[in-house]
């Protein structure tokens, strides 16, 4: 009595009624809060047990956790406590825990282990996770660990490491199921019962020709709903998305999203099947790629709270120095108008407002453009239309803000000051709208990541234009001398 | 000869050698560029054929495209051309195309169709996609479309609409496979061959008790690799992640990521199985949730390039007005120091530098904190540690920038000016580091989305503190009078 589409009458609630979210519907136990995070009280219980050196108590506390939660717990602890915890719960430190750990935390933990111990862990991992573990080590450690691996694992890992970072070749799993064209559904099931293991999950079976080239793919649910006698070549989908082994992870992620893939075949330069990518690995990439733009735009580099202090400093200070350069450019424009400011201090009071709102408007447009470029929505085919759209949004925004500040400045200072600041505001917000689209688009065409450097340029343009338009118009209007 | 882990000797490339990404390895055909986007030349060919009214030519151009690419093409065209294209290729406008369309574009397109036509499309969609189509319509249209639906679809859609937006109840699929506990692998396969359809993909089978409560789950690959005689209860995994029907989509997405799920059972208030969520739907949520923080932080609202102009204006201008308020606060601090600026115009020239770098440093820290909160990495259990970490990064950054600007200002203006600006810079960057963590953390504790309003507050703090510290120190040092 399996059901496909259960017509569940009890569930039919009146069209208009809304179901309220009650707090007690949510995850909530003695260890997790409602949002499925470990409770601070639980984390400090572990902390106290570690401090007391009570390994038994630590073990009892951690034992009921899921591997992903153990990884979270390790990340939440102080750096000094992490190795201590790992040794107290050594048999709970499964490959799943290691695979779920934040890259920086894992690297740090691996540094405390011998090459042999790391190799033992790598052997238990899926090849793609083993690669991730080993690629983070420095070169000497990498070589030491590789030397300790079984030949088969070593071969898989070194073949992965031969591909550039963040490509399908690095990330793909070398565990997949591929069968020849002549098989029937029955043959396949018999084969899987004989040969398959329960260890490696797979979601589709690839059909390959004699040259190892994929010719089609069968989802497992198709196989399960089809009589034994049907030939796989009659069931399979011929039109499949193939991932070239050198494809960048960002493009892989976009492919999975665009075509709603669960898994996909990875092929080498000659089109032969060499691995598969599965969606559970790709979700991490999607989340990382979508989330990193906010960090890159703010100049926060990797922006991981587990990043070592020195790396966080060096990636962020670089952008602050760049920002220092652009701020100096903007302030040299102010210097041109020194006499005007000396005469009329109100100019110094009001000028940061024009620059600040312009910067904000530019950042809004830039964030929209960067996101649209990242999701392949803003392309050469519609750049002109989007530029025109953003320019109109900017004029509406500029008009509104100009009216507000113009009236206020007109009343507080002088009517002419109101006109000057309103005009400067419209000009600066319009320029911000254009720069917010053009700067990321230009970086993209130059094959640079538009998220990385757009912010510095957009801010420089809006700051400089804000000071120049406002002070320049004030001088032109005769409010102050040049 | 299926293979699990193919030991593929040809693939073994020397440890040290790197494989270069060659442009010709990538997707590239007459319609797609290397990054799998539609080529501008192709889009304008469609545009020209539409303008000429040549439906046959349009059809021939579009016919070879995948559904997801047809959706992309519609989005790339001007608004006026979209309905025109849809009518020219009506039999290619499958439910897959509709499901892949951007929300705004779909809504716009649906507005051009009759309720009956929309109902016909909704019937072809999976229930979750039908819900997405119908929930976007305004209330009158919603009712008209609902009236045209088959009773079964209407029941499913109205039960979904009874749940709040962005909850599992709205998003789940009502098509899933659930079987009773007594079944064996053989029974299940026989049942699926009799009853299953090839239309709805599924990745696991849920085992339920007599009360419809899920008791375990079997991945399809386990079923395929297990002999017919094994009981499902012996094969299934008892420990499964259940999604409450009222769970917010953001939490669902985090669950899928944390536990690497492909699909998961959705249960109602009494723990009965009512639907499933599958990862192909969740990837869109993951991408949306991760990507929206950059947009929210910049105050760009939904930030979708297909959003109607009026909505884009109203969501953005709101934040610009808020920013106007905070800029006025900062500029009122400048007004306090009018006499000082009149005496020493250099202060007006240098003060925006202190405010700007502080703002940038605050935004960096804030972006890191917001991302860490969104991914459940920054919780009550480690807030103090992260605050301390960010403060130390800020001191390092502040020291570096202060040294640079201090020396420059010391040489260009006066040694005391160098000291003043350096001190002000350290103070402002340190404050920025603290505010960058505390503001989003406080919003989170107040149950507000930290991405939404943090930016305005952080900028206000860094702007005001920048002006106050710099101008105040200048007066205190005797560089200028108050």
């Amino acid at each position: 009595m399996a059901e496909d589409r259960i017509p569940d009458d009890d569930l039919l609630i009146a069209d208009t009624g809304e179901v309220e979210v009650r707090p007690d519907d949510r995850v909530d136990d003695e260890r997790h809060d409602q949002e499925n995070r470990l409770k601070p009280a639980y984390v400090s219980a572990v902390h106290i047990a570690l401090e007391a050196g009570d390994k038994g108590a630590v073990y009892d506390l951690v034992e009921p956790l899921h591997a992903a939660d153990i990884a979270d717990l390790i990340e939440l602890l102080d750096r000094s406590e992490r190795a201590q915890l790992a040794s107290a719960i050594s048999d709970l430190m499964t490959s799943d825990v290691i695979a779920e750990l934040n890259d920086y935390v894992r690297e740090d933990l691996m540094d405390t282990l011998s090459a042999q111990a790391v190799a033992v862990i790598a052997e238990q991992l899926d090849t793609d996770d083993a690669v991730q573990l080993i690629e983070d080590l420095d070169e000497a450690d990498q070589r030491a660990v590789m030397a300790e691996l079984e030949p088969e694992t070593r071969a898989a890992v070194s073949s992965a490491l031969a591909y550039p970072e963040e490509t399908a070749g690095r990330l793909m799993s070398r565990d997949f199921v591929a069968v020849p064209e002549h098989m029937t559904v029955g043959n396949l099931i018999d084969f899987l019962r004989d040969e398959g293991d329960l260890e490696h999950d797979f979601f589709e079976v690839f059909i390959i020709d004699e040259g190892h080239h994929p010719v089609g793919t069968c989802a497992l649910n198709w196989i399960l709903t089809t009589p034994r006698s049907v030939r796989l070549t009659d069931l399979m989908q011929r039109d499949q998305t193939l991932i070239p082994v050198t494809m960048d992870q960002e493009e892989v992620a976009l492919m999975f999203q665009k075509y709603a893939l669960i898994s996909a075949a990875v092929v080498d330069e000659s089109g032969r099947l060499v691995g598969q990518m599965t969606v559970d690995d790709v979700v991490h990439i999607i989340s990382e790629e979508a989330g990193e733009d906010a960090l890159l735009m703010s100049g926060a580099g990797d922006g991981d709270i587990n990043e070592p202090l020195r790396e966080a400093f060096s990636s962020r200070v670089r952008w602050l120095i760049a920002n220092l350069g652009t701020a100096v450019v903007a302030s040299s424009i102010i210097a041109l108008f020194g006499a005007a400011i000396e005469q009329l201090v109100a100019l110094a009071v009001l000028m940061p407002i024009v620059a600040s709102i312009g910067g904000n408007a530019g950042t809004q447009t830039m964030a929209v453009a960067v996101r649209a470029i990242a999701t392949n929505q803003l392309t050469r085919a519609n750049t002109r239309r989007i530029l025109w759209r953003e320019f109109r949004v900017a004029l509406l925004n500029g008009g509104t803000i100009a009216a507000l500040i113009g009236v206020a400045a007109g009343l507080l200072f002088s009517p002419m000051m109101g006109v000057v600041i309103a005009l400067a505001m419209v000009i600066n917000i319009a320029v911000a709208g254009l720069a917010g689209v053009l700067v990321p688009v230009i970086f993209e065409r130059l094959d640079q990541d538009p998220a990385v450097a757009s912010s510095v340029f957009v801010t420089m343009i809006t700051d400089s234009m804000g000071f120049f338009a406002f002070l320049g118009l004030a001088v032109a209007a005769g409010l102050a001398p040049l």
Side-chain angles (χ1 to χ4, degrees), chain A residues 238-305:
Chain A
R238 280 172 197 280
D239 208 23
Q240 62 176 317
T241 307
L242 300 175
I243 310 272
V245 78
T246 50
M247 184 178 264
D248 185 81
Q249 65 171 15
E250 189 169 3
E251 279 173 65
V252 173
L254 285 172
M255 287 277 224
F256 267 74
Q257 284 183 78
K258 181 167 177 177
Y259 301 120
L261 303 177
I262 301 300
S263 59
V266 180
V267 291
D268 68 9
E269 292 78 0
S270 52
R272 300 181 329 147
L273 180 65
V274 291
Q276 72 170 340
M277 301 259 338
T278 53
V279 71
D280 50 325
D281 295 320
V282 174
V283 292
H284 288 287
I285 301 170
I286 292 174
S287 163
E288 204 182 298
E289 294 283 341
E292 77 177 8
D293 279 355
L295 297 163
L296 292 175
M297 277 193 273
S298 75
D302 265 0
D304 190 305
I305 56 171

Side-chain angles (χ1 to χ4, degrees), chain A residues 326-366:
Chain A
T326 63
V328 167
V329 170
S331 94
S332 69
I333 288 174
I334 301 173
L336 296 177
F337 296 93
I341 290 168
E342 205 162 10
Q343 198 71 26
L344 189 62
V345 172
L347 296 179
V349 173
L350 293 175
M351 67 184 185
I353 299 181
V354 182
S356 165
I357 312 279
N360 204 312
T363 307
Q364 288 181 339
T365 309
M366 180 186 72

Side-chain angles (χ1 to χ4, degrees), chain A residues 18 170 241 260 301 415 439:
Chain A
E18 286 241 327
R170 274 280 175 106
T241 307
V439 170

